[in-house]
Amino acid sequence: MSQTQPPALQLERISRRFGSHAVLSDITLSVPPGRITCLLGESGCGKSTLLRLIAGIDRPDGGTIDLGGRRIVGPGRFTEPEARRIGFMFQDYALFPHLSVEENLAFGLQKLSRDAQRACTAEIAQRIGITHLLGRYPHSLSGGEQQRTALARALAPQPEILLMDEPFSNLDQGLRERVRRETLEILRQLGTTAILVTHDPQEALAVGDLIVLMRQGRIEQVGTPFDIYDRPHSSYAAEFMGPCNRLAGIWHQGQIETPIGRFATDLCLPDGTAALACIRPQALSIAPDGGGISARIVSKTFLGESEQIEISVHPLFEPLRMHSHERIPMAVGDKVGLLLNGAQIHVFEQSQAE
């Protein structure tokens, strides 16, 4: 985003309380135009509440919201949802069952003439690839067809921003991946600014140009998928984005000393500081020549494209988990040599690790 180009959406110190419970606290966020931003977090972290505040379905208790450089929420200012030019695609799609697909698409175009409505619905149906569905009703559509219809209806009024609340969660795994891929292609072709809510880190990594990881009503970290996965700011972020082996250690002369070895990172801590190493399962591998750290295989789980292996290493109480895309010929109970790839080891100060 250039310095002269304003963000598509700017949130400043947004807060929301329900009774004594702070659902959102001090949320400040810039959403880049023409990109897909993912709000990621576990259930109850506030991501769907934040989406409703942006849409105008709910009002914040404090803070401001600017859309395309104009203030829509702030002290003495609240722009009604219908005047915001924000599209909203609900988790259950919320298609009107008594209206045809064409009538659903035209629902947000009531201010246009009948001819203009028909032209708009025909254009968006052609772009989304649902022209053949225009005369049908929601009950006769498959899950993927309902999802595409809901997407077309949200895009028909040409919103400045499209909000999507868990839009693929109602689809089974195979269909979910295909529909998600098709949806992303459409949004990128149209240059749509979109904010998508998900609880699935793998979906966020696959979808988002920008990921906003939320935790207990606050933003834990903001970054690109590579930033947030490869350079997590906290042990929470590291473990939320993917499984980790946790090893306690002591920081000494630029390295963390653990029971199974010393690892260098770019972290800077005083010598003697208690630290925590989060080691990705893919950072572990079996030494082909039996070298490395002495270990023993305690379990193997075949996952199709990969194998999950648990390895016991003295003096650790808990086995280490590793993932391998290669077939490991050793059996449960066999002794092996374990190697570690330091690039997938994240170190944090123990007092800040939760």
Side-chain angles (χ1 to χ4, degrees):
M1 186 168 57
S2 68
Q3 292 183 347
T4 58
Q5 188 177 22
L9 185 75
Q10 180 68 44
L11 310 178
E12 292 286 348
R13 308 201 67 176
I14 291 294
S15 63
R16 184 70 174 103
R17 302 183 68 88
F18 294 143
S20 61
H21 177 53
V23 180
L24 294 171
S25 302
D26 202 29
I27 299 293
T28 294
L29 176 66
S30 294
V31 174
R35 303 289 183 178
I36 299 173
T37 297
C38 284
L39 301 182
L40 172 66
E42 58 192 7
S43 296
C45 72
K47 55 189 186 296
S48 292
T49 297
L50 185 57
L51 210 66
R52 290 195 295 271
L53 296 179
I54 295 169
I57 300 172
D58 191 12
R59 297 181 182 229
D61 294 313
T64 62
I65 302 177
D66 292 349
L67 177 63
R70 70 182 190 278
R71 180 65 45 89
I72 60 173
V73 173
R77 178 72 176 173
F78 182 82
T79 301
E80 295 297 331
E82 60 272 16
R84 295 191 182 193
R85 292 198 62 198
I86 293 178
F88 203 121
M89 185 173 166
F90 295 91
Q91 183 176 2
D92 60 358
Y93 310 141
L95 298 174
F96 298 110
H98 62 291
L99 300 181
S100 67
V101 169
E102 182 176 16
E103 291 167 334
N104 265 281
L105 267 56
F107 184 79
L109 306 173
Q110 302 302 318
K111 294 183 179 180
L112 301 181
S113 67
R114 186 62 60 87
D115 288 343
Q117 289 182 34
R118 277 196 284 263
C120 285
T121 56
E123 179 184 1
I124 195 63
Q126 190 276 328
R127 288 198 167 194
I128 305 297
I130 59 170
T131 300
H132 62 295
L133 302 176
L134 288 176
R136 292 171 57 181
Y137 285 81
H139 73 272
S140 69
L141 305 179
S142 68
E145 290 169 340
Q146 290 184 26
Q147 196 273 349
R148 286 191 287 273
T149 299
L151 175 63
R153 186 180 66 179
L155 291 174
Q158 299 181 333
E160 293 185 38
I161 292 181
L162 174 63
L163 307 180
M164 310 172 76
D165 192 0
E166 302 269 8
F168 312 112
S169 61
N170 289 335
L171 306 175
D172 61 45
Q173 182 65 29
L175 182 59
R176 178 162 64 244
E177 292 181 1
R178 178 171 65 82
V179 172
R180 184 173 66 197
R181 184 174 61 252
E182 293 172 351
T183 301
L184 293 180
E185 290 175 358
I186 292 167
L187 295 178
R188 298 198 193 285
Q189 288 173 2
L190 296 176
T192 303
T193 301
I195 302 176
L196 183 147
V197 161
T198 181
H199 66 276
D200 182 353
Q202 297 306 311
E203 181 167 82
L205 291 171
V207 169
D209 299 303
L210 187 72
I211 296 177
V212 181
L213 177 60
M214 298 182 64
R215 180 188 186 191
Q216 296 179 353
R218 296 182 180 273
I219 292 178
E220 182 77 11
Q221 185 173 346
V222 178
T224 68
F226 290 108
D227 285 337
I228 208 162
Y229 186 84
D230 293 338
R231 292 174 288 278
H233 292 175
S234 64
S235 61
Y236 178 86
E239 293 183 279
F240 193 91
M241 299 310 297
C244 291
N245 297 290
R246 295 168 62 100
L247 282 183
I250 299 296
W251 189 261
H252 181 68
Q253 295 183 350
Q255 295 181 313
I256 181 175
E257 297 182 350
T258 77
I260 64 170
R262 303 175 65 182
F263 311 109
T265 73
D266 55 6
L267 188 67
C268 183
L269 294 174
D271 282 0
T273 301
L276 175 72
C278 292
I279 304 174
R280 299 285 186 201
Q282 61 269 30
L284 306 176
S285 60
I286 302 296
D289 57 0
I293 303 167
S294 178
R296 185 186 299 273
I297 295 178
V298 297
S299 74
K300 298 177 70 177
T301 304
F302 183 52
L303 303 175
E305 64 180 20
S306 66
E307 197 168 24
Q308 179 175 290
I309 303 168
E310 290 193 331
I311 300 177
S312 174
V313 181
H314 180 77
L316 302 180
F317 291 106
E318 296 291 331
L320 299 177
R321 289 172 296 168
M322 68 168 282
H323 291 163
S324 175
H325 289 278
E326 298 179 357
R327 300 292 182 262
I328 302 297
M330 293 81 171
V332 171
D334 285 355
K335 291 183 178 180
V336 296
L338 190 65
L339 298 177
L340 282 86
N341 165 23
Q344 290 291 326
I345 298 176
H346 309 296
V347 179
F348 309 96
E349 185 175 353
Q350 182 71 60
S351 64
Q352 297 176 353
E354 298 179 8

